[in-house]
PDB file of all heavy atoms in Angstrom:
ATOM      1  N   GLY X 274      70.928  96.824 104.073  1.00 92.00           N
ATOM      2  CA  GLY X 274      71.178  97.376 102.739  1.00 92.00           C
ATOM      3  C   GLY X 274      71.545  98.841 102.673  1.00 92.00           C
ATOM      4  O   GLY X 274      72.146  99.329 101.706  1.00 92.00           O
ATOM      5  N   LEU X 275      71.246  99.598 103.756  1.00 92.00           N
ATOM      6  CA  LEU X 275      71.542 101.048 103.692  1.00 92.00           C
ATOM      7  C   LEU X 275      73.037 101.335 103.802  1.00 92.00           C
ATOM      8  O   LEU X 275      73.560 102.206 103.048  1.00 92.00           O
ATOM      9  CB  LEU X 275      70.759 101.803 104.764  1.00 92.00           C
ATOM     10  CG  LEU X 275      69.317 102.139 104.316  1.00 92.00           C
ATOM     11  CD1 LEU X 275      68.680 103.045 105.320  1.00 92.00           C
ATOM     12  CD2 LEU X 275      69.308 102.762 102.948  1.00 92.00           C
ATOM     13  N   ALA X 276      73.746 100.629 104.672  1.00 93.00           N
ATOM     14  CA  ALA X 276      75.213 100.849 104.745  1.00 93.00           C
ATOM     15  C   ALA X 276      75.829 100.505 103.399  1.00 93.00           C
ATOM     16  O   ALA X 276      76.689 101.237 102.870  1.00 93.00           O
ATOM     17  CB  ALA X 276      75.801 100.021 105.871  1.00 93.00           C
ATOM     18  N   ALA X 277      75.371  99.404 102.807  1.00 95.00           N
ATOM     19  CA  ALA X 277      75.939  98.969 101.531  1.00 95.00           C
ATOM     20  C   ALA X 277      75.661 100.093 100.496  1.00 95.00           C
ATOM     21  O   ALA X 277      76.577 100.413  99.701  1.00 95.00           O
ATOM     22  CB  ALA X 277      75.269  97.676 101.074  1.00 95.00           C
ATOM     23  N   ARG X 278      74.501 100.655 100.498  1.00 95.00           N
ATOM     24  CA  ARG X 278      74.171 101.697  99.526  1.00 95.00           C
ATOM     25  C   ARG X 278      75.054 102.938  99.717  1.00 95.00           C
ATOM     26  O   ARG X 278      75.572 103.511  98.739  1.00 95.00           O
ATOM     27  CB  ARG X 278      72.692 102.073  99.713  1.00 95.00           C
ATOM     28  CG  ARG X 278      72.226 103.167  98.743  1.00 95.00           C
ATOM     29  CD  ARG X 278      72.156 102.643  97.314  1.00 95.00           C
ATOM     30  NE  ARG X 278      71.969 103.715  96.346  1.00 95.00           N
ATOM     31  CZ  ARG X 278      72.923 104.322  95.652  1.00 95.00           C
ATOM     32  NH1 ARG X 278      74.196 103.977  95.823  1.00 95.00           N
ATOM     33  NH2 ARG X 278      72.656 105.285  94.793  1.00 95.00           N
ATOM     34  N   ILE X 279      75.230 103.316 100.973  1.00 96.00           N
ATOM     35  CA  ILE X 279      76.060 104.519 101.254  1.00 96.00           C
ATOM     36  C   ILE X 279      77.504 104.316 100.755  1.00 96.00           C
ATOM     37  O   ILE X 279      78.061 105.145 100.015  1.00 96.00           O
ATOM     38  CB  ILE X 279      76.053 104.844 102.761  1.00 96.00           C
ATOM     39  CG1 ILE X 279      74.664 105.328 103.189  1.00 96.00           C
ATOM     40  CG2 ILE X 279      77.164 105.830 103.153  1.00 96.00           C
ATOM     41  CD1 ILE X 279      74.470 105.381 104.681  1.00 96.00           C
ATOM     42  N   PHE X 280      78.081 103.170 101.131  1.00 96.00           N
ATOM     43  CA  PHE X 280      79.518 103.019 100.820  1.00 96.00           C
ATOM     44  C   PHE X 280      79.752 102.618  99.360  1.00 96.00           C
ATOM     45  O   PHE X 280      80.824 102.873  98.808  1.00 96.00           O
ATOM     46  CB  PHE X 280      80.154 102.036 101.828  1.00 96.00           C
ATOM     47  CG  PHE X 280      80.261 102.687 103.186  1.00 96.00           C
ATOM     48  CD1 PHE X 280      79.374 102.315 104.225  1.00 96.00           C
ATOM     49  CD2 PHE X 280      81.141 103.713 103.405  1.00 96.00           C
ATOM     50  CE1 PHE X 280      79.428 102.969 105.419  1.00 96.00           C
ATOM     51  CE2 PHE X 280      81.204 104.377 104.613  1.00 96.00           C
ATOM     52  CZ  PHE X 280      80.330 104.002 105.640  1.00 96.00           C
ATOM     53  N   LYS X 281      78.668 102.147  98.702  1.00 96.00           N
ATOM     54  CA  LYS X 281      78.748 101.926  97.257  1.00 96.00           C
ATOM     55  C   LYS X 281      78.921 103.283  96.562  1.00 96.00           C
ATOM     56  O   LYS X 281      79.763 103.476  95.694  1.00 96.00           O
ATOM     57  CB  LYS X 281      77.505 101.215  96.776  1.00 96.00           C
ATOM     58  CG  LYS X 281      77.514 100.862  95.297  1.00 96.00           C
ATOM     59  CD  LYS X 281      76.296 100.090  94.933  1.00 96.00           C
ATOM     60  CE  LYS X 281      76.193  99.957  93.442  1.00 96.00           C
ATOM     61  NZ  LYS X 281      74.855  99.546  93.042  1.00 96.00           N
ATOM     62  N   GLU X 282      78.115 104.244  97.024  1.00 96.00           N
ATOM     63  CA  GLU X 282      78.152 105.624  96.393  1.00 96.00           C
ATOM     64  C   GLU X 282      79.497 106.274  96.679  1.00 96.00           C
ATOM     65  O   GLU X 282      80.062 106.927  95.811  1.00 96.00           O
ATOM     66  CB  GLU X 282      76.993 106.416  97.014  1.00 96.00           C
ATOM     67  CG  GLU X 282      76.674 107.646  96.233  1.00 96.00           C
ATOM     68  CD  GLU X 282      76.240 107.380  94.813  1.00 96.00           C
ATOM     69  OE1 GLU X 282      75.841 106.247  94.493  1.00 96.00           O
ATOM     70  OE2 GLU X 282      76.364 108.312  93.972  1.00 96.00           O
TER      71      GLU X 282
END
Side-chain angles (χ1 to χ4, degrees):
L275 276 188
R278 180 68 190 96
I279 290 168
F280 290 105
K281 183 176 170 196
E282 196 60 20

